[in-house]
Each structure stands twice: as structure tokens, then as C-alpha cells.
Amino acid sequence: MAATNGNHVASSTTTTTSTAQGNGAINLIGEPKYDLNDLHFNPIKEADVSREMTRRYMTDMIDHAETDVVVIGAGSAGLSCAWELSKNPDIQVTVIEQSVSPGGGAWLGGQLFSAMIVRKPGQHFLAEVGVPFEDCNENYVVVKHAALFTSTILSKLLMRPNVKLFNALAAEDLIVKNGRVAGVVTNWTLVTLNHDTQSCMDPNVIEARVVVSSTGHDGPMGASGVKRLQKIGLVKDVPGMIALDMNAAEDGIVANTREVVPGMVITGMEVAELDGVPRMGPTFGAMMLSGQKAAHCALKSLGLDNVLTK
């Protein structure tokens, strides 16, 4: 829950407080529960570290070999989609991110600047996630650093027991059965990037009831979902996004977020690539609300309650 303070909306998360002393020193309230002057960690066997990592990861792979929803891409749209979907504890959400670091382009604002601009009504989603922002005027709000949004939604999302993020994992292809997308073909990203340098390195698979593709705009691995749909004949054209128009772009991306073929929903900038919507530049509200809408498109495809079916 967010609390309003003047023109600022701040998260209710408790922060550590401090007091200034007469000599100028800062005394932090709450001392560590260990002695930093004589610190010794408990002993561990190196093999135990290996076993714990391997057992847990392999267990996750087994548990998610069949899943309810796969979200391809953990940028702002993909994370927002996973956030909305995972509110239902009975839905298993599997997020695949080709990069080691999830978040896509939402670690910075435009031109490598810090601030994130979110046009209204996107501030309601920020408040729900618990991201503090400055309410600047009737049209937009500002998060002081884009990383504040990404780190907040990512950390809270990963605490949910029905969500698993597989990062450094690429979706190389789709599983398609009888015209319906039924999952993804996966491989380690480093393997995917080196198919031309090594002999055949076969992939793995994840079956899913619905796939949400949020791979962003055109790039080395961008818009890969709709590009693959075009190559296998399930969509006719992928014209690419057109020149920047923030107002048309954000409305258009949310409006066109949909289940584009049975079993596959598109969201975020991938929508712009498929439909020739303008690029929007450094505003992020459409990414969040397109992701949220994509979640409800997936719920609709699953035959579950959603806000799109009146």
C-alpha cells in the first residue's frame, strides 16, 4: 500500500533510521547480530555448495517442464505480466530471460539517464507494486531511478512461491501443435549464441498452456516470438515499429496487446513490431499496463476469471 505525502507517493516499506550525534558521527539504530571485529563463518564443504545449487535448479527444471504460463522476456512488460498472473497462487508462472540480468531496458531512463517517466494512469500500478514516485502534474509521475521500479517488482515477484525465473536461458523456438502454441524450446543463452561455432547442441523444452512473448523490439534477440510466428506462417507480416510518437505509441501498444495466435499472447514493444505501432521512447507506463493486460489475455485463454471478459 502506498501513502501520499504532499506531491510524493512513497512505499510503506520500513527503512532503517539514524540519529546524528553531537560529534557528527552517525549511530545506526539496530546493530548487527555478529561481531564485525572478529567474524567467522560456519564451516562448509565445497561439495555441499555444488549439491545445493544443482539439486535445487534441477528440481526447478523438473517442476517447470510443464507449466501454466511461460513468459519469455523479463523486461518491464514481462515482469508486469508475471506480477499480475502470479496473484493467483494456483497459476504456475515460468519466466525465461536470455540475459544474466533481468529487467531489459528498465534499469535506466532515456539516453542512459536515471529517472523513469510514467504517464498516468500508470501510477496506480506503481503504487500497487510499492514503488515510490513523485506526482509531478496531472499527466505523469516520475520514479527517481528506473532501477527502483525494476528491483522492487523483481524482488517481490521472486518471493512468490508460484514464480520461477530462469535467467541466462534463451527461447530458441516455439512448440506448436495443431496450430496452437504449446510451449517453448530452450537452451543456455551462451549455447544459443554459439551454434555457428560448435557442432549440434540440441535444446530442451518447456510445455505451457499459454506462452506470453515479451521479447521487446527488434534486436539481437528482440521480437523473436513474432518473427518465429511469421517464419512458420502463423502471422503474415511483421512490419516493425515506426517513428516515435509517445501519445500514439503507448495507447496503441496497450490496445493491441492480445492473444495473437491460439496459445500465444504478445505484450510490450513486440506489439509495436508486429503491428507497426510507433516507438514510444523513454516512457514506461505502456510497458507496465500492456504486461498487466497480457496477463488477463492469458487468464482468458486459460478459461479463468479476467477483467477482459465482461
Side-chain angles (χ1 to χ4, degrees), residues 221-241:
M221 290 190 180
S224 57
V226 294
K227 288 178 185 176
R228 187 57 177 155
L229 290 180
Q230 181 189 28
K231 194 167 185 178
I232 61 179
L234 291 181
V235 299
K236 184 177 180 181
D237 297 311
V238 181
M241 61 185 178

Side-chain angles (χ1 to χ4, degrees), residues 3-219:
T4 304
N5 179 13
N7 286 332
H8 299 266
V9 173
S11 166
S12 60
T13 303
T14 303
T15 56
T16 304
T17 56
S18 60
T19 16
Q21 304 299 301
N23 58 6
I26 300 296
N27 177 30
L28 294 177
I29 297 175
E31 295 182 0
K33 297 184 182 298
Y34 35 79
D35 185 357
L36 291 173
N37 290 314
D38 186 24
L39 179 64
H40 301 281
F41 288 100
N42 289 1
I44 195 169
K45 283 175 58 66
E46 283 79 0
D48 286 344
V49 175
S50 179
R51 288 189 187 99
E52 286 291 346
M53 291 190 302
T54 303
R55 177 177 59 83
R56 291 169 186 271
Y57 197 89
M58 294 305 166
T59 298
D60 285 336
M61 290 182 70
I62 292 168
D63 290 345
H64 289 260
E66 291 183 85
T67 191
D68 293 316
V69 182
V70 166
V71 178
I72 311 173
S76 49
L79 292 175
S80 299
C81 178
W83 172 273
E84 189 74 8
L85 280 169
S86 60
K87 291 176 182 177
N88 184 335
D90 296 326
I91 296 177
Q92 187 184 60
V93 182
T94 306
V95 183
I96 296 172
E97 169 54 48
Q98 57 87 15
S99 176
V100 171
S101 55
W107 290 108
L108 290 167
Q111 199 170 306
L112 307 183
F113 295 164
S114 301
M116 171 182 274
I117 314 302
V118 177
R119 291 169 59 203
K120 295 181 177 181
Q123 84 279 10
H124 296 299
F125 187 77
L126 293 174
E128 178 186 313
V129 175
V131 179
F133 58 82
E134 181 181 349
D135 194 345
C136 295
N137 57 46
E138 62 184 10
N139 296 320
Y140 64 85
V141 302
V142 177
V143 179
K144 71 175 183 178
H145 200 297
L148 186 56
F149 166 76
T150 303
S151 59
T152 302
I153 192 170
L154 182 60
S155 61
K156 291 184 177 181
L157 184 62
L158 293 181
M159 285 189 265
R160 292 180 173 173
N162 56 331
V163 176
K164 171 61 184 178
L165 167 67
F166 292 100
N167 46 329
L169 191 70
E172 290 191 338
D173 203 351
L174 302 171
I175 301 172
V176 180
K177 299 179 180 180
N178 301 317
R180 181 179 179 89
V181 175
V184 292
V185 178
T186 64
N187 218 327
W188 309 123
T189 302
L190 290 176
V191 172
T192 300
L193 295 173
N194 281 280
H195 281 309
D196 293 336
T197 68
Q198 302 292 324
S199 59
C200 181
M201 296 177 284
D202 282 334
N204 207 339
V205 296
I206 299 175
E207 290 191 52
R209 297 168 66 193
V210 177
V211 172
V212 177
S213 191
S214 56
T215 63
H217 54 68
D218 194 19

